[in-house]
Amino acid sequence: MIRHLFLASAALAMVTTAAQADEFRATQTVQKVVSIEREDGSTGVDYITADQVQPGEALIYRLDYSNESAAAAENVALVMAVPAEVTYSENSASSEAAAVTFSTDGGQSFAPRSELLTGAGSEQRQAVAEDITHIQWAFTDPIPVGAEGEVMYEAVVR
């Protein structure tokens, strides 16, 4: 069965100071991970537009950002949803300049992966990948004028 990927469900949010919000840009893309065979016979990975996907296929959710303002962007946190149609792939959230935290409650609260819990009271337990609803990248240092970068995670279609 082929499904059309609902890209809008992979929403993003930005948190910056009000003066910088209009000039800090972020663009999200979703790509399908495909295996390719190279001319030399070796295999590799390529990324293509995720127009149609099937259960079990791997996807990359990427957020490219740039600071186009006249000042360094401070207190930046980028958040991407993990759509209900996919399962987060463990250890795939990446960033060189930000602390990565996770949510199981629709982005209301975030915790490091090792401390991420779900449920309440006696039903509370360590969260598994299927429980993750959002991922946050909180930048520890200001993002300089003209700086560009990306954050990403991998997921598998359910």
Side-chain angles (χ1 to χ4, degrees):
M1 164 183 26
I2 295 177
R3 291 193 251 178
H4 291 278
L5 185 62
F6 184 56
L7 299 179
S9 66
L12 64 97
M14 293 181 295
V15 180
T16 63
T17 60
Q20 297 163 338
D22 292 337
E23 297 173 355
F24 189 90
R25 309 241 186 261
T27 305
Q28 181 174 301
T29 58
V30 180
Q31 296 178 303
K32 186 169 25 174
V33 181
V34 294
S35 295
I36 59 167
E37 186 172 330
R38 296 187 181 111
E39 290 181 17
D40 66 2
S42 65
T43 58
V45 174
D46 199 6
Y47 304 98
I48 62 171
T49 303
D51 292 332
Q52 296 182 345
V53 296
Q54 297 182 24
E57 290 184 318
L59 303 174
I60 294 287
Y61 287 80
R62 189 175 83 209
L63 189 59
D64 294 300
Y65 63 86
S66 62
N67 181 9
E68 300 172 11
S69 70
E74 297 182 346
N75 303 314
V76 174
L78 301 174
V79 177
M80 277 198 286
V82 177
E85 298 83 14
V86 302
T87 299
Y88 168 73
S89 295
E90 291 290 0
N91 302 313
S92 68
S94 67
S95 174
E96 295 178 10
V100 181
T101 54
F102 301 84
S103 176
T104 61
D105 60 6
Q108 297 299 308
S109 63
F110 290 88
R113 183 67 185 97
S114 62
E115 299 170 19
L116 189 63
L117 302 174
T118 191
S122 64
E123 300 293 318
Q124 195 171 49
R125 61 173 171 76
Q126 182 72 38
V128 295
E130 291 84 1
D131 297 323
I132 296 173
T133 62
H134 290 76
I135 303 170
Q136 175 179 256
W137 291 264
F139 289 80
T140 52
D141 295 322
I143 298 174
V145 173
E148 298 178 341
E150 65 182 25
V151 295
M152 65 180 72
Y153 73 89
E154 188 172 321
V156 176
V157 180
R158 293 182 189 199

